[in-house]
Amino acid sequence: TSKVHTAVKIAPNYNRAVVYVPDASRAVGVAGQLVGGGEAEYVRGIQAEYARMRDAHAANQLAKQRLSLAAARANRQKLDWAGYTPPRPQFLGTKVFDAYDLAELVARIDWKPFFQTWELAGNFPQILEDPVVGEAARPLYADARAMLERIIAEKWFRPRAVIGFWPANQQGADDIRLYADEARTTQLADLHMLRQQMMRDRPGRANLCLADFVAPEGVADYIGAFAVTAGAEVDTIAKAFEADQDDYNSILVKALGDRLAEAFAERLHERVRKEFWGYAADEALDNDALISEAYRGIRPAPGYPACPDHTEKATLFQLLAAEANAGITLTESFAMTPGAAVSGWYFAHPDSRYFGLGRIERDQVEDYARRKGMDMATMERWLAPNLNYDPETVALPAAA
């Protein structure tokens, strides 16, 4: 959390003192103020400060003008579809991978997030020699490599995955329609996407939507999807360590499971580009280049910055039959089980790129809810972090 988040989102929901502290060491002083006899005055001061912060935050949000949805659509990314022939995947439908070779995935591990799990900041491998955290990072890395050797040799995990490709075209302004076959007469599903509404500070900067990267009707384009997991065994083994009071190895095996799931996603995307979709057959990138996303195409995931609506995972999982094909299920809040899992879409256009949606206005949420067939309150709940308005108040009109 932060002081502003505490003042704006947390404190108004309680009628007693709510105090933000930057770290645990400050809590002792705050607790002393709350029980020392002058707590009433202290609390009034905190509440007054938070009230000022809420007013400033509200004024700042109103100053962040957004385009109307119509204006944002008019400023969409305009690609040259007449001069571009979308590549056709090597197959349509799904392909399943069972008990994927763990040793093949190790080379694709991004170790930086692994160390972040342990609150050790730094790039890999430089972190191992870092004057501040290197002393802690080196034995941790040695333990991780030793456990990885056991995971591979003893086949602790059973990595499973499913990928798929379908004919696709833009539908309307911001959606993507998938078809059952090349005839494109039978609709399979609609993928609902959201568009940036921020004011652009210079000409030529588009208000992006993932649908911009798929061809309009009349051009034979395609889209892919994937769901991968390091295996349900990750959670089982972690719980076994916990039962033995071995929290260190429990955390270690879960962290490695997460890294292997991400490595699996990275490796399959590499094979998609070079084999299964084949639009970058001559690609020759090392792991650092892959981690920095120097390749053509993207694999955005529902729930992430470009497409933050987690409910779109329902369509993704239905298309892939992810539970039957990869053993991955969704909870009622659209979290994936097992936890060491990754899913998302494949886009192949050379101009496709990652972006953040940012804040959006009520006009887009209303339009999006209508397209998805969901009520406004439910849609606002799922998109709450991206709303540029308070659903409980009357919305101000968006900027022209």
Side-chain angles (χ1 to χ4, degrees), residues 98-102 105 147-148 150-160 229-238 241 249 252-261 340:
D98 194 6
Y100 202 90
D101 184 5
L102 281 163
L105 304 182
M147 182 175 279
L148 264 180
R150 290 192 64 191
I151 290 171
I152 295 168
E154 301 173 21
K155 293 181 168 52
W156 284 11
F157 305 156
R158 176 191 168 196
R160 301 174 65 186
T229 177
E233 301 80 9
V234 177
D235 293 336
T236 302
I237 294 170
F241 279 124
N249 277 312
L252 187 61
V253 76
K254 285 189 284 189
L256 288 174
D258 288 343
R259 290 299 88 218
L260 286 168

Side-chain angles (χ1 to χ4, degrees), residues 1-312:
T1 185
S2 68
K3 198 169 189 176
V4 173
H5 182 265
T6 303
V8 174
K9 295 290 188 180
I10 302 176
N13 292 291
Y14 294 88
N15 56 18
R16 302 295 293 274
V18 177
V19 186
Y20 168 79
V21 292
D23 59 70
S25 65
R26 310 288 182 88
V28 176
V30 170
Q33 293 276 13
L34 291 172
V35 298
E39 60 269 18
E41 183 178 352
Y42 175 72
V43 170
R44 282 195 296 271
I46 291 289
Q47 291 173 337
E49 180 186 13
Y50 286 1
R52 291 192 297 271
M53 294 180 75
R54 283 193 292 273
D55 290 343
H57 177 78
N60 187 48
Q61 291 303 109
L62 289 174
K64 294 179 180 177
Q65 285 190 319
R66 295 295 187 273
L67 294 172
S68 68
L69 179 57
R73 285 171 171 169
N75 191 43
R76 66 186 301 144
Q77 181 79 41
K78 299 175 179 66
L79 301 179
D80 178 16
W81 295 109
Y84 171 75
T85 301
R88 187 186 189 280
Q90 298 301 311
F91 65 89
L92 296 178
T94 58
K95 181 178 180 62
V96 176
F97 302 84
D98 194 6
Y100 202 90
D101 184 5
L102 281 163
E104 185 179 319
L105 304 182
V106 173
R108 292 290 173 256
I109 290 179
D110 179 1
W111 285 100
K112 183 175 180 178
F114 169 81
F115 289 104
Q116 290 174 336
T117 299
W118 302 85
E119 298 186 357
L120 299 175
N123 293 322
F124 180 83
Q126 294 87 343
I127 192 173
L128 301 178
E129 303 303 326
D130 187 273
V132 178
V133 301
E135 188 175 352
R138 286 189 294 274
L140 176 61
Y141 181 62
D143 289 346
R145 295 298 307 200
M147 182 175 279
L148 264 180
E149 290 180 8
R150 290 192 64 191
I151 290 171
I152 295 168
E154 301 173 21
K155 293 181 168 52
W156 284 11
F157 305 156
R158 176 191 168 196
R160 301 174 65 186
V162 55
I163 63 173
F165 304 103
W166 299 272
N169 287 110
Q170 292 176 11
Q171 173 63 24
D174 300 333
D175 292 339
I176 302 168
R177 177 155 292 175
L178 275 56
Y179 299 94
D181 53 41
E182 289 282 24
R184 298 175 191 254
T185 55
T186 303
Q187 176 186 342
L188 193 60
D190 279 347
L191 312 183
H192 304 286
M193 301 299 176
L194 291 157
R195 183 172 298 280
Q196 295 173 323
Q197 286 188 268
M198 67 277 287
M199 301 283 285
R200 288 310 191 182
D201 55 1
R202 61 179 182 271
R205 293 195 64 189
N207 290 84
L208 297 174
C209 173
L210 287 172
D212 294 346
F213 305 133
V214 178
E217 292 182 2
V219 179
D221 205 352
Y222 306 85
I223 197 167
F226 69 96
V228 310
T229 177
E233 301 80 9
V234 177
D235 293 336
T236 302
I237 294 170
K239 289 176 181 176
F241 279 124
E242 289 176 9
D244 287 340
Q245 307 298 312
D246 189 349
D247 290 342
Y248 174 72
N249 277 312
S250 177
I251 297 171
L252 187 61
V253 76
K254 285 189 284 189
L256 288 174
D258 288 343
R259 290 299 88 218
L260 286 168
E262 292 285 354
F264 199 0
E266 190 73 80
R267 176 58 179 147
L268 278 187
H269 193 193
E270 182 181 17
R271 294 189 64 185
V272 162
R273 298 190 301 272
K274 298 170 75 171
E275 301 174 46
F276 306 127
W277 207 331
Y279 58 80
D282 298 329
E283 177 184 287
L285 301 174
D286 61 19
N287 202 46
D288 288 341
L290 293 175
I291 291 170
S292 64
E293 300 163 355
Y295 45 75
R296 169 181 162 178
I298 56 175
R299 59 171 191 273
Y304 279 73
C307 44
D309 177 16
H310 283 276
T311 68
E312 284 293 296

